[in-house]
C-alpha cells in the first residue's frame, strides 16, 4: 500500500451478500473500488458479531487491491497476529480498545502491516496526538461503531479538520467510516479525509448480477466530491 492522498473509496463488505463474498469482492473491485474494507466486530466492544481470522483468510484470494481490516474488538492486541497472518494489508485498532494504544500500534507494525488507529465519535482528536508517528492511518468514526446504515454525525467534520492540521505533512491517511454517501462525502473530503468507507451507499440497489449499480454508486460519490 503506497501513500497517495487521492480520494479512495473503500466499500464495506458488511453490506455485501454474505452468501457470495468472493463474487461481491470481485464485483466492487471491477467497478472501481480502491480498497476493500472488512469490519471485524466481537459482540463485546461493539454490539454485533462479524468476521474472525478464518473469514478474512477466505476473503484474501479475492482481494486484488488493499484489504483494510478494521478491528472493533477488545482486547485487541492478542488478535493482531492472527489477522495479519490472514492477509490484512492494513490493520486498524481502536484507541479505546485497551490501555496501551502505543503498544497496539507497535504490535501491528511488527507484523509488517500498515497500522491504523480509530476514534469513536465521543473520543477527542487529542487521544491520537502522541500516536501519529506510529500511524499510517487514522480512522474517524462518523457513526457509533457496530452497525451499518446509521445516520452521519456532523460534529465529526470538525474533528477531521483538526486531525488534518495535527498530521501536517506526514504521510498519514485519514479514513472516515459511517454514513458516507454523495451528500456527506464532499464534507469529509473538504475537511481532509482521503479514504472513504461506504457500505449501503455502494451496495444499495446492486448485486453481483447487476454490478454496474455498484459502479454507478461509487461514481456518484466521486462526482459529488469533485463538485
Amino acid at each position: 500500500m503506497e501513500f497517495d492522498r487521492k480520494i479512495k473509496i473503500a466499500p464495506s463488505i458488511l453490506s455485501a451478500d454474505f452468501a457470495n463474498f468472493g463474487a461481491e469482492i470481485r464485483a466492487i473491485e471491477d467497478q472501481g473500488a480502491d480498497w476493500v474494507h472488512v469490519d471485524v466486530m466481537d459482540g463485546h466492544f461493539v454490539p454485533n458479531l462479524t468476521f474472525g481470522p478464518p473469514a478474512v483468510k477466505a476473503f484474501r484470494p479475492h482481494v486484488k487491491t488493499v484489504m483494510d481490516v478494521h478491528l472493533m474488538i477488545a482486547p485487541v492486541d492478542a488478535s493482531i497476529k492472527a489477522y495479519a497472518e490472514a492477509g490484512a494489508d492494513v490493520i486498524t485498532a481502536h484507541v479505546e480498545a485497551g490501555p496501551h494504544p502505543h503498544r497496539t500500534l507497535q504490535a501491528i507494525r511488527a507484523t509488517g502491516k500498515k497500522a491504523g488507529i480509530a476514534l469513536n465519535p465521543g473520543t477527542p482528536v487529542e487521544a491520537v496526538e502522541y500516536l501519529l508517528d506510529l500511524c499510517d492511518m487514522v480512522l474517524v468514526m462518523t457513526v457509533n461503531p457496530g452497525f451499518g446504515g446509521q445516520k452521519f454525525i456532523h460534529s465529526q467534520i470538525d474533528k477531521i479538520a483538526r486531525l488534518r492540521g495535527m498530521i501536517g505533512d506526514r504521510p498519514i491517511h485519514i479514513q472516515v467510516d459511517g454514513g458516507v454517501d454523495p451528500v456527506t462525502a464532499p464534507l469529509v473530503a473538504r475537511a481532509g479525509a482521503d479514504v472513504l468507507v461506504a457500505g449501503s451507499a455502494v451496495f444499495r440497489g446492486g448485486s453481483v448480477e447487476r454490478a454496474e449499480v455498484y459502479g454507478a454508486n461509487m461514481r456518484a460519490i466521486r462526482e459529488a466530491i469533485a463538485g
Side-chain angles (χ1 to χ4, degrees):
M1 185 188 87
E2 297 298 323
F3 181 80
D4 175 2
R5 196 156 280 165
K6 183 181 73 173
I7 297 290
K8 295 169 183 60
I9 295 179
S12 169
I13 61 169
L14 194 63
S15 296
D17 177 358
F18 276 33
N20 209 8
F21 275 124
E24 290 275 48
I25 288 167
R26 293 191 297 274
I28 56 174
E29 289 191 330
D30 288 346
Q31 291 295 322
D34 299 290
W35 294 9
V36 174
H37 188 81
V38 181
D39 287 305
V40 173
M41 306 182 190
D42 64 358
H44 169 72
F45 182 70
V46 293
N48 200 355
L49 186 65
T50 59
F51 312 115
V56 174
K57 184 176 181 179
F59 302 154
R60 178 71 264 181
H62 302 282
V63 178
K64 306 305 179 190
T65 56
V66 171
M67 186 158 67
D68 167 35
V69 176
H70 175 195
L71 299 181
M72 288 170 271
I73 63 178
V76 66
D77 289 8
S79 298
I80 289 168
K81 183 178 179 182
Y83 284 98
E85 291 177 347
D89 295 304
V90 187
I91 298 175
T92 298
H94 274 256
V95 72
E96 307 89 357
H100 306 295
H102 189 278
R103 181 177 293 158
T104 299
L105 288 165
Q106 287 178 317
I108 296 171
R109 296 179 79 85
T111 68
K113 307 301 182 177
K114 299 295 185 181
I117 196 77
L119 291 163
N120 283 337
T123 302
V125 69
E126 289 77 14
V128 299
E129 184 172 4
Y130 296 103
L131 302 172
L132 292 176
D133 287 334
L134 284 174
C135 292
D136 298 290
M137 185 170 76
V138 180
L139 167 53
V140 177
M141 292 298 304
T142 43
V143 299
N144 286 296
F147 294 98
Q150 296 183 68
K151 187 176 180 181
F152 182 88
I153 301 173
H154 282 265
S155 63
Q156 301 307 295
I157 295 171
D158 176 66
K159 183 188 290 185
I160 296 164
R162 290 171 61 199
L163 177 61
R164 177 51 67 199
M166 191 181 288
I167 288 171
D169 61 0
R170 285 178 279 203
I172 299 173
H173 291 294
I174 296 179
Q175 185 176 65
V176 171
D177 186 355
V180 173
D181 60 24
V183 174
T184 58
L187 305 178
V188 298
R190 283 197 294 269
D194 56 7
V195 182
L196 310 186
V197 177
S200 55
V202 169
F203 286 95
R204 185 183 294 116
S207 66
V208 168
E209 293 75 25
R210 299 182 63 238
E212 68 276 5
V213 176
Y214 300 159
N217 290 341
M218 285 186 273
R219 284 193 300 277
I221 293 171
R222 295 187 197 279
E223 288 167 5
I225 293 168

